[in-house]
């Protein structure tokens, strides 16, 4: 035979020890799946094409054969011909790729009975021989698991289920302590169930840092669901190869795989003599472990390990099902809230109102005590939140630092230090960016969840400094309960909640895009309608002007001839004929006044306004000077506020507004002492006033009030219609009924609004704005 390409004498074999020594200085980088050694309670033999290429160095202990003899002779040297044929048949027929299977129990090497377990990995066949205790009866794994499952199926919740699981495994295996250990998202683990010998210190409820079971170990637990250490004080049996330069063997699926020296020291520090771990897997993630400890060495045979492995697989399914049931229930609640919210967004034209103004709002979509919506420059707070200015500062930080459209953290102050000021309201943040250009967000907040964590020893001291100054990772020596108060953290965000937030963002974006399309179409329609309306208004104004102007001449003729007839022939007519002529004169005068009003109204709509800064105090003095004869005649008391503002308006037309409103206040007044007040509203007065929609908050509101006859509320809009009078033609001095219509036209030409508030019999107040 040859090895490493060199010629050797018959019977001669060269062996090479595989793997590099591992100590506490490099265990954090240790590739634990290729340790280069096996646990000594069994022999590991590796075949390539039926030829032995590697073997563990403890063959003499178990088979009475040297390593070279086993490598040279292979299976033929270890097994009787009949057993060998059965083994080779199984190796040819069984599905062994990454799948360890029990082949048989048989004598090996001329010694006692061994359990033979085999699997394939990377083209190699790996055989593991474990000595059988012939004095112990075999265990019916199926019967044992069925018995345990009957008890597990009768449990109601996850806590009871894991407690019964720990008890069943302890009864099955006889280990001094059996724990169910659950991993958190951060890699830490908590003992959630425990069965132990009465004299042992309880570990139930203790949390262990992620460094106790490092990342690469957790990955192996997913691949290989069972790992046993029969004797913590074992001396590893190194692997030897007949081929120089051979790669270390991948032992990911090996029962006899030697474990990290750091873990061995860890167990020794705990006073553990033997251990076994069975994986609990949820989906493709390691959910937890069934961790078994014994004070003295304890080798669990294959049949019992099989029962534990099967129980762990079934328990994994049960844990997954129970966890999925809880998750599904929560998902259904979130989905129901999301559906109602999306329906409201589809029905409600105001997106902000749909998000915050319903019974099913953001606090029901994701169960939090507080939320905020920042949309189109408006910030709305729901429930318990940080102050508004803090949220706006957080928004600015998110604009710069948010990575992606959904950001979530359970420890906001660690990423955004100013959040330390409001941990009571928002230690946790889930933020969804709706728009980068307008800085729109939906945010949910969770308060600080003050926790007292009981660790199994101080988790903060895994590193020691050697005398030469180098650092070395070392297992903890103390496992006594060690208390830590955790601050600045909230309850974590669940995957279902993150999915709901992303779904809401998609729904909002869909609604926004649809409404943008609708608004685009509506805008096009409005532009066409406005153009048509402008043409119609221009045509109407032109028609009114031309018609009124052309009617003046024949009307003037009718009036003049009526007056001539009355002057020349009144004495020749009887009283009835003369009365008819006088009525004709009066009607022509009224029609002339109506035509003048129509001309003035059409002129207001057509003329160009001259806007300039105008001191309203000075303007009021000019208006009152013109009206003074009539004011004095009727003894009207006019009070003008001394602090009227200076506005950019058309001076002449604004004078007409005040003149017309003051004239109406004089005309429609039945009080012995008519009174008129002119001024502007103070902010506190405006707060109690029903201001029409569309009046800007910054607009100056002017008013003209009187103590006249007042107006019934049902006529508030009618009084602004042209030629609409509420009284008989000759009552209150007559008039055409066009004055207020012209006033509103002038106000609207200034971009403002006018409205009235009145109490019938007590007086009226006309409010108006002049926004340019």
């Amino acid at each position: 035979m040859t090895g490493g390409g060199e010629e050797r004498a018959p019977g001669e074999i060269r062996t090479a020890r595989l793997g590099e020594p591992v100590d506490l200085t490099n265990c954090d980088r240790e590739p634990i799946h290729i340790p280069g050694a096996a646990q000594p309670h069994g022999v590991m033999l590796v075949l390539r094409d039926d030829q032995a290429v590697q073997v563990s160095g403890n063959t003499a202990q178990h088979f009475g054969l040297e390593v070279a003899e086993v490598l040279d002779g292979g299976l033929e040297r270890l097994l009787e011909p009949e057993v060998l044929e059965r083994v080779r048949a199984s190796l040819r027929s069984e599905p062994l790729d990454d799948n360890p299977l029990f082949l048989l129990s048989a004598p090996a090497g001329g010694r006692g009975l061994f359990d033979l377990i085999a699997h394939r990995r990377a083209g190699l066949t790996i055989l593991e021989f474990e000595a059988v205790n012939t004095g112990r009866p075999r265990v019916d794994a199926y019967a044992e698991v069925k018995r345990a499952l009957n008890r597990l199926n009768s449990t109601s919740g996850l806590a009871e289920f894991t407690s019964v699981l720990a008890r069943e495994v302890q009864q099955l295996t006889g280990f001094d302590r059996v724990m169910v250990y659950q991993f958190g998202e951060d890699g830490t683990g908590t003992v959630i169930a425990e069965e132990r010998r009465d004299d042992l210190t309880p570990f139930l409820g203790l949390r262990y840092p992620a460094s106790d079971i490092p990342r690469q170990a957790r990955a192996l637990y997913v691949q290989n669901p069972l790992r046993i250490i029969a004797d913590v004080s074992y001396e590893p049996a190194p692997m030897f190869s007949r081929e120089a330069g051979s790669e270390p063997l991948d032992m990911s699926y090996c029962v006899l795989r030697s474990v990290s020296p750091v873990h061995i020291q860890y167990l020794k520090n705990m006073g553990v003599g033997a251990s076994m771990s069975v994986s609990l897997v949820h989906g493709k993630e390691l959910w937890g472990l069934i961790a078994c400890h014994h004070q003295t060495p304890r080798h669990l045979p294959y049949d019992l390990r099989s029962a534990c492995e099967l129980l762990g697989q079934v328990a994994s399914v049960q844990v997954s099902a129970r966890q999925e049931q809880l998750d599904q229930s929560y998902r259904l609640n979130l989905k129901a809230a999301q559906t109602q919210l999306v329906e409201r967004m589809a029905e409600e034209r105001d997106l902000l109102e749909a998000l915050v103004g319903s019974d099913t709002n953001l606090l029901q979509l994701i169960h939090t005590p507080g939320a905020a919506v920042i949309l189109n420059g408006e910030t709305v707070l729901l429930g318990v939140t940080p102050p508004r200015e803090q949220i706006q500062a957080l928004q600015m930080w998110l604009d710069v630092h948010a990575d992606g459209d959904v950001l979530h953290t359970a420890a906001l102050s660690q990423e955004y230090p100013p959040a330390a000021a409001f941990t009571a309201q928002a230690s946790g943040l889930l933020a969804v960016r709706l728009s980068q250009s307008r800085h729109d967000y939906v945010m949910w907040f969770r308060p600080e969840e003050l926790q007292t964590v009981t660790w199994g020893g101080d988790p903060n001291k895994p590193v020691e400094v050697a005398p030469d100054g180098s650092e070395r990772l070392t297992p903890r020596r103390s496992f006594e309960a060690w208390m830590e108060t955790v601050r600045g953290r909230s309850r974590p965000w669940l995957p279902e909640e993150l999915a709901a937030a992303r779904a809401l963002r998609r729904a909002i974006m869909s609604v926004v895009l649809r409404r943008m399309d609708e608004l685009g179409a509506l805008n096009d329609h409005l532009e066409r309608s406005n153009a048509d309306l402008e043409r119609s208004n221009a045509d109407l104004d032109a028609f009114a002007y031309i018609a009124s102007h052309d009617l003046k001449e024949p009307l003037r003729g009718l009036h003049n001839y009526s007056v001539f007839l009355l002057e020349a022939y009144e004495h020749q007519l009887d009283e009835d004929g003369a009365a008819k002529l006088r009525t004709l004169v009066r009607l022509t005068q009224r029609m002339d006044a109506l035509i003048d009003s129509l001309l003035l109204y059409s002129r207001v709509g057509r003329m160009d306004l001259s806007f300039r800064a105008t001191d309203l105090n000075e303007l009021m003095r000019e208006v009152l000077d013109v009206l003074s004869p009539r004011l004095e005649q009727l003894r009207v008391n006019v009070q003008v506020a001394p602090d009227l503002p200076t506005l950019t308006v058309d001076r002449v037309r604004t004078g007409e507004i005040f003149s017309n409103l003051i004239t109406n206040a004089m005309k429609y007044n039945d009080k012995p002492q008519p009174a008129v007040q002119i001024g502007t509203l103070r902010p506190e007065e405006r707060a109690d006033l029903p201001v029409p929609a569309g009046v800007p908050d910054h607009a100056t509101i002017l008013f003209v009030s009187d103590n006249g006859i007042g107006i019934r509320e049902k006529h508030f809009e009618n009084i602004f219609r042209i030629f609409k009078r509420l009284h008989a033609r000759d009552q209150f001095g007559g008039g055409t009924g066009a004055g207020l219509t012209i006033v509103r036209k002038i106000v609207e030409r200034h971009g403002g609004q006018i409205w009235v508030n009145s109490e019938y019999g007590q007086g009226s107040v006309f409010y108006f704005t002049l926004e340019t």
Side-chain angles (χ1 to χ4, degrees):
M1 298 179 68
T2 62
E6 299 180 4
E7 293 292 334
R8 296 183 287 114
E12 180 185 3
I13 189 166
R14 296 181 183 273
T15 60
R17 179 168 176 168
L18 300 178
E20 298 179 357
V22 177
D23 60 26
L24 298 180
T25 63
N26 66 357
C27 72
D28 56 327
R29 302 180 302 278
E30 177 189 2
I32 58 177
H33 63 297
I34 50 173
Q39 295 184 53
H41 64 273
V43 175
M44 192 179 299
L45 177 65
V46 183
L47 307 178
R48 179 185 288 118
D49 299 329
D50 206 30
Q51 183 181 29
V53 293
Q54 293 184 30
V55 71
S56 57
N58 56 344
T59 55
Q61 172 190 345
H62 289 281
F63 302 144
L65 300 172
E66 296 300 324
V67 167
E69 293 180 87
V70 176
L71 285 174
D72 193 37
L75 283 179
E76 293 179 353
R77 184 72 174 83
L78 298 177
L79 302 177
E80 296 295 328
E82 181 183 348
V83 175
L84 177 61
E85 184 55 36
R86 289 169 56 197
V87 169
R88 283 176 172 169
S90 296
L91 293 179
R92 288 192 298 269
S93 62
E94 297 289 353
L96 298 175
D97 289 346
D98 297 337
N99 183 32
L101 290 178
F102 172 74
L103 300 184
L104 50 75
S105 296
R111 295 290 184 95
L113 200 63
F114 289 86
D115 284 339
L116 180 56
I117 304 162
H119 74 281
R120 288 194 184 91
R121 179 78 169 165
L124 299 175
T125 300
I126 303 168
L127 303 173
E128 299 179 77
F129 295 81
E130 291 188 61
V132 175
N133 180 2
T134 56
R136 186 190 67 83
R138 288 285 184 174
V139 171
D140 184 346
Y142 173 78
E144 292 294 332
V145 172
K146 183 178 180 181
R147 177 185 59 80
L149 285 180
N150 287 335
R151 292 187 174 90
L152 288 170
N153 288 334
S154 65
T155 60
S156 56
L158 186 60
E160 184 184 0
F161 178 85
T162 54
S163 178
V164 172
L165 178 61
R167 184 165 60 250
E168 290 298 318
V169 172
Q170 188 192 41
Q171 291 177 2
L172 183 62
T173 63
F175 276 97
D176 293 334
R177 185 196 305 270
V178 176
M179 300 169 286
V180 178
Y181 186 89
Q182 182 181 2
F183 289 106
E185 290 186 2
D186 56 357
T188 62
T190 303
V191 179
I192 61 173
E194 180 184 43
E195 284 292 323
R196 59 180 174 83
R197 215 171 62 192
D198 292 342
D199 60 329
L200 297 181
T201 302
F203 288 169
L204 182 63
L206 296 186
R207 183 180 295 186
Y208 294 85
S211 58
D212 279 14
I213 304 178
R215 176 182 50 81
Q216 69 267 38
R218 292 196 295 273
L220 267 186
Y221 279 125
V222 175
Q223 289 181 270
N224 193 349
L226 187 141
R227 187 222 63 194
I228 187 167
I229 305 173
D231 185 355
V232 164
S233 299
Y234 75 86
E235 284 293 328
M239 296 297 294
F240 289 89
S241 171
R242 66 185 306 119
E243 302 170 349
S246 295
E247 292 293 327
L249 177 67
D250 186 343
M251 299 186 184
S252 297
Y253 293 92
C254 295
V255 176
L256 295 175
R257 173 177 58 87
S258 187
V259 297
S260 165
V262 171
H263 185 64
I264 291 295
Q265 188 61 51
Y266 178 90
L267 293 174
K268 288 179 178 179
N269 292 348
M270 293 183 76
V272 174
S275 76
M276 183 181 74
S277 298
V278 182
S279 304
L280 297 174
V281 180
H282 177 38
K284 295 184 179 181
E285 300 293 328
L286 185 65
W287 183 88
L289 295 172
I290 304 172
C292 308
H293 290 172
H294 207 65
Q295 298 299 100
T296 58
R298 184 173 184 79
H299 176 238
L300 208 65
Y302 179 81
D303 53 351
L304 274 177
R305 296 203 308 266
S306 296
C308 292
E309 185 175 344
L310 180 57
L311 188 57
Q313 291 172 351
V314 176
S316 293
V317 174
Q318 288 266 21
V319 166
S320 297
R322 291 170 189 248
Q323 188 68 54
E324 182 62 28
Q325 185 178 13
L326 293 174
D327 296 345
Q328 181 66 16
S329 176
Y330 190 45
R331 279 197 297 269
L332 289 175
N333 290 336
L334 294 181
K335 190 65 177 178
Q338 177 187 330
T339 300
Q340 294 183 38
L341 201 54
V342 171
E343 288 176 353
R344 278 193 59 84
M345 286 192 294
E347 298 170 357
E348 178 67 57
R349 300 307 301 173
D350 187 340
L351 180 58
L352 185 61
E353 177 65 21
L355 289 173
V356 304
S358 63
D359 292 336
T360 301
N361 59 30
L362 299 174
L363 300 184
Q364 281 73 47
L365 177 65
I366 295 178
H367 295 171
T368 59
V373 180
I374 302 175
L375 192 62
N376 298 328
E378 187 173 355
T379 301
V380 178
L381 308 183
L382 297 172
V384 180
T385 69
R388 186 180 301 272
E389 59 273 12
Q390 294 278 22
I391 292 178
Q392 291 167 347
L394 177 59
Q395 170 202 3
M396 297 173 63
W397 179 79
L398 287 171
D399 286 341
V400 177
H401 295 89
D403 183 15
D405 295 321
V406 177
L407 178 141
H408 62 95
T409 175
L412 179 59
S413 59
Q414 292 183 12
E415 302 181 41
Y416 176 60
F422 50 83
T423 55
Q425 297 83 31
S427 286
L429 169 69
L430 171 55
V432 175
R433 189 204 307 264
L434 303 180
S435 167
Q436 293 185 355
S437 59
R438 294 201 305 268
H439 316 291
D440 294 337
Y441 288 91
V442 177
M443 303 180 191
W444 290 270
F445 306 105
R446 274 191 176 143
E448 178 182 61
E449 197 171 75
L450 195 62
Q451 301 177 26
T452 300
V453 178
T454 304
W455 296 92
D458 185 349
N460 300 312
K461 298 180 179 179
V463 176
E464 289 185 355
V465 179
D468 62 359
S470 63
E471 291 185 347
R472 39 192 282 134
L473 189 65
T474 179
R476 292 181 291 111
R477 293 185 174 85
S478 172
F479 296 89
E480 295 180 358
W482 190 89
M483 310 292 285
E484 179 187 25
T485 300
V486 178
R487 303 193 65 97
R489 296 189 67 88
S490 73
R491 182 163 57 87
W493 303 99
L494 300 177
E496 294 82 4
E497 294 168 336
L498 302 182
R502 293 188 179 95
L504 177 65
R505 181 181 185 275
R506 290 193 297 270
I508 291 175
M509 299 306 295
S510 176
V511 170
V512 169
L513 290 174
R514 185 173 69 250
R515 290 185 181 176
M516 286 178 63
D517 292 340
E518 293 174 355
L519 287 174
L522 181 60
N523 185 59
D524 292 341
H525 177 72
L526 287 176
E527 287 181 352
R528 292 192 297 270
S529 298
N530 285 337
D532 293 342
L533 186 60
E534 288 178 1
R535 285 194 298 272
S536 298
N537 285 340
D539 293 345
L540 183 61
D541 287 342
F543 170 77
Y545 180 79
I546 294 171
S548 302
H549 186 271
D550 291 347
L551 285 174
K552 292 284 283 186
E553 184 177 354
L555 182 61
R556 191 179 301 113
L558 285 173
H559 175 75
N560 290 339
Y561 277 108
S562 298
V563 171
F564 293 158
L565 284 172
L566 194 59
E567 290 176 348
Y569 299 103
E570 182 178 9
H571 61 282
Q572 299 179 16
L573 299 174
D574 58 17
E575 181 57 31
D576 183 57
K580 286 182 170 57
L581 276 177
R582 287 192 290 273
T583 299
L584 182 61
V585 170
R586 188 170 63 254
L587 289 174
T588 58
Q589 290 173 330
R590 173 166 173 73
M591 188 172 183
D592 185 66
L594 289 172
I595 291 174
D596 285 341
S597 296
L598 186 60
L599 279 171
L600 178 58
Y601 179 76
S602 64
R603 190 178 299 118
V604 169
R606 295 169 57 244
M607 68 177 57
D608 293 331
L609 301 183
S610 176
F611 293 100
R612 64 178 187 272
T614 302
D615 184 349
L616 296 188
N617 295 288
E618 180 182 334
L619 179 63
M620 282 307 307
R621 284 193 289 272
E622 296 176 3
V623 171
L624 294 177
D625 282 344
V626 173
L627 296 176
S628 60
R630 182 66 172 162
L631 294 172
E632 292 174 359
Q633 178 186 358
L634 297 176
R635 295 182 298 171
V636 178
N637 178 23
V638 179
Q639 295 182 353
V640 180
D643 55 351
L644 294 180
T646 296
L647 300 178
T648 302
V649 295
D650 184 293
R651 185 182 185 87
V652 175
R653 301 307 161 198
T654 302
E656 290 179 9
I657 294 173
F658 283 108
S659 178
N660 203 314
L661 292 177
I662 294 172
T663 299
N664 280 353
M666 291 189 290
K667 180 189 295 187
Y668 299 104
N669 201 305
D670 56 358
K671 304 299 187 297
Q673 180 66 55
V676 179
Q677 289 186 324
I678 299 145
T680 59
L681 286 183
R682 296 188 299 274
E684 61 270 19
E685 295 173 322
R686 174 173 177 155
D688 299 328
L689 183 69
V691 179
V695 175
D697 293 339
H698 65 273
T700 300
I701 298 180
L702 302 156
F703 69 85
V704 175
S705 70
D706 62 63
N707 63 343
I709 61 174
I711 306 167
R712 287 187 173 90
E713 186 175 356
K714 65 180 181 179
H715 297 305
F716 282 2
E717 185 60 30
N718 289 337
I719 60 175
F720 292 105
R721 291 168 52 192
I722 193 166
F723 303 142
K724 177 67 178 179
R725 290 177 51 83
L726 303 181
H727 309 285
R729 182 187 310 126
D730 298 325
Q731 192 175 5
F732 296 108
T736 63
L740 287 177
T741 308
I742 293 171
V743 165
R744 181 157 74 172
K745 187 77 168 180
I746 296 172
V747 168
E748 290 174 348
R749 288 292 307 277
H750 281 75
Q753 293 190 60
I754 184 169
W755 66 98
V756 65
N757 190 18
S758 179
E759 185 176 350
Y760 187 69
Q762 300 299 316
S764 303
V765 184
F766 284 85
Y767 301 97
F768 60 98
T769 61
L770 299 172
E771 293 297 315
T772 58

